[in-house]
Amino acid sequence: GPDGADPLTAAIEAAYADLAPVAARVFRRNALWPWPAIGPAVTAHVSGVDEAQAADALAELAARRLIEAVGGGRYGYRPAHRAFAERAAAVEEGVAGSAAALAATIRWYLEFAVRADRTALSGRWTLGPLYRELDAGPHRDPGEALAALCEERPNLVQAVRAAERSGDLESVRQLCEALWALQLKAGETDELLPALRLGARAAERLHPGSEVLGRARTQLGMACLELGRRDEAAAEFRAAEQAEREAGHARGRATALECLGLLELRYWQHGAAYELFERADEVLGTIGADERGAADVPRARALLLRHRGRALRGMGRRGEAVDRLTEALLFFRGTGEAYNTARTLTDLAEVRLDAGEHGAALPLVDEALSLLTEENAAHHLAHLRRLRELALEPPAAG
């Protein structure tokens, strides 16, 4: 190495000079962003080789101590090694080549996330074009897809940041939309929040007054709601409703009103919540049979039945709560949507427990547990296990 180079840099340089071309390319191109854990699939895509070659190259780099194993067939860089590889990329790939390699990495994460998100939560409506353009992808069922999203979560958050830094705001907003199942079913929302903020900002710059902005703000609002940021959540949902109204997008407007209702519900404002769910249902009622979003209306109305049942429970109107929840349950069972079937069973179990009907609650809890275990919905399983313990206790006397 050059005179005065520190011993570590000299060692890295010697090891790098010894590499076969494919391994050298893998070393350079994976180093263009601080990815938490690099695997063979993304490496193959960005290096122009197949997955077996990518896995071999990663193993060779690890054997030469240029990268280190972080578990699960994944690897990471120590800072000095990444800095060296990034400099090598600037020299050997040039600015344009390096930018293209980073863009290819972001694109891989976007396509991965859309496919997995679509499988993990297939019932919901989406806006990103890739939801319609991409093939089914490798995940056999919602549980497997959600597990894959969880495993890639740190990389997906970084992909949003990398896209933002690259000025690729369209990928920022599409990546964020593809975090929805992860956000809803897996928790860990605090890790996603910075990315979702970037998503809302990107949507505002690219698509002001549109359903794209409404969707991004609704999603950010849901994260704020989950994290107990009440005022921020309310502001996001109101801004979402305004954007959807400007866009003339009734389906999205109903969702924003539904979310405002969920916010009231979270803070025990049951009457206010119920009114918002009614308003959302009225907006859905304005969508004609041949209008955009018509296909989503039955599911959206079933969700609102479920939420109204929860609000009625809070208002002490138990019989009506059971009626609404039972109607929602019939819909979700009929469409085979396991996640919302389980969520509605949970609500019904809570109404039964309120009434001291522990024997009636237990089978509802057990069915919900078995459905959500298959879905890997860790977020809701802890709550169900607590309900199960309650149901097994004898009801309080009196």
Side-chain angles (χ1 to χ4, degrees):
D3 291 335
D6 66 283
L8 177 57
T9 305
I12 297 169
E13 195 170 348
Y16 176 70
D18 231 14
L19 292 173
V22 168
R25 189 160 74 237
V26 165
F27 182 58
R28 291 193 304 269
R29 291 189 182 177
N30 277 333
L32 297 167
W33 193 261
W35 303 109
I38 291 149
V42 67
T43 297
H45 179 77
V46 75
S47 305
V49 295
D50 66 36
E51 254 186 79
Q53 288 171 297
D56 287 347
L58 289 167
E60 182 188 342
L61 292 171
R64 292 172 182 264
R65 304 224 168 143
L66 287 167
I67 57 176
E68 51 190 354
V70 293
R74 312 287 189 102
Y75 300 88
Y77 287 79
R78 288 187 289 275
H81 294 71
R82 194 175 84 76
F84 179 92
E86 208 171 7
R87 287 195 301 274
V91 172
E92 295 178 51
E93 319 256 353
V95 173
S98 296
L102 182 58
T105 311
I106 293 165
R107 180 70 185 190
W108 187 89
Y109 281 116
L110 174 57
E111 293 188 0
F112 160 83
V114 167
R115 287 189 172 103
D117 180 70
R118 189 177 53 193
T119 302
L121 198 61
S122 57
R124 82 170 203 284
W125 57 273
T126 50
L127 293 170
L130 294 180
Y131 282 92
R132 291 174 296 287
E133 292 166 15
L134 293 178
D135 60 33
H139 306 112
R140 290 188 302 271
D141 57 59
E144 191 184 293
L146 191 67
L149 284 163
C150 286
E151 195 180 9
E152 292 287 6
R153 175 170 35 217
N155 286 324
L156 294 173
V157 169
Q158 287 299 332
V160 172
R161 292 191 163 137
E164 206 252 353
R165 181 71 58 80
S166 306
D168 179 7
L169 298 184
E170 189 52 41
S171 291
V172 171
R173 79 97 183 162
Q174 289 190 43
L175 266 162
C176 285
E177 186 183 14
L179 300 175
W180 190 259
L182 195 52
Q183 178 180 342
L184 196 67
K185 291 176 146 189
E188 308 290 337
T189 314
D190 48 348
E191 204 181 323
L192 301 178
L193 187 66
L196 297 177
R197 287 196 203 288
L198 294 177
R201 207 159 71 197
E204 182 135 48
R205 282 190 47 197
L206 292 175
H207 308 283
S210 73
E211 60 261 49
V212 168
L213 178 58
R215 190 62 162 163
R217 285 209 176 283
T218 297
Q219 190 175 355
L220 175 55
M222 286 300 282
C224 294
L225 168 59
E226 188 58 44
L227 294 168
R229 296 166 172 265
R230 185 180 187 171
D231 295 345
E232 200 178 339
E236 291 300 332
F237 293 146
R238 282 196 287 269
E241 202 248 343
Q242 179 62 34
E244 300 283 11
R245 187 198 294 267
E246 283 175 41
H249 187 228
R251 171 180 59 178
R253 212 183 129 212
T255 297
L257 289 166
E258 174 193 353
C259 290
L260 276 165
L262 291 172
L263 182 63
E264 297 289 356
L265 202 57
R266 167 68 60 95
Y267 292 99
W268 302 288
Q269 306 300 312
H270 300 110
Y274 189 84
E275 280 173 38
L276 283 158
F277 297 143
E278 293 272 279
R279 274 181 62 199
D281 194 66
E282 282 163 23
V283 171
L284 289 172
T286 67
I287 299 176
D290 51 354
E291 286 181 46
R292 194 166 61 121
D296 306 309
V297 168
R299 178 177 181 271
R301 296 195 111 153
L303 284 167
L304 287 166
L305 279 169
R306 181 190 155 220
H307 298 327
R308 272 182 288 192
R310 295 165 68 205
L312 287 162
R313 173 196 171 212
M315 294 153 84
R317 290 158 62 178
R318 246 178 241 145
E320 290 169 85
V322 169
D323 290 346
R324 296 292 178 290
L325 291 168
T326 303
E327 219 180 318
L329 183 63
L330 282 171
F331 177 87
F332 293 125
R333 278 202 203 282
T335 56
E337 196 179 330
Y339 175 74
N340 278 308
T341 298
R343 302 288 283 131
T344 312
L345 285 164
T346 306
D347 299 326
L348 273 165
E350 289 176 331
V351 178
R352 296 298 184 200
L353 286 171
D354 289 346
E357 298 165 10
H358 290 214
L362 190 59
L364 302 173
V365 171
D366 283 341
E367 189 186 346
L369 270 168
S370 89
L371 286 169
L372 287 183
T373 301
E374 271 179 49
E375 295 253 325
N376 271 327
H379 198 35
H380 304 298
L381 288 170
H383 176 61
L384 275 163
R385 291 192 191 101
R386 284 195 297 276
L387 287 184
R388 190 169 199 281
E389 285 170 21
L390 280 175
L392 290 169
E393 289 170 14

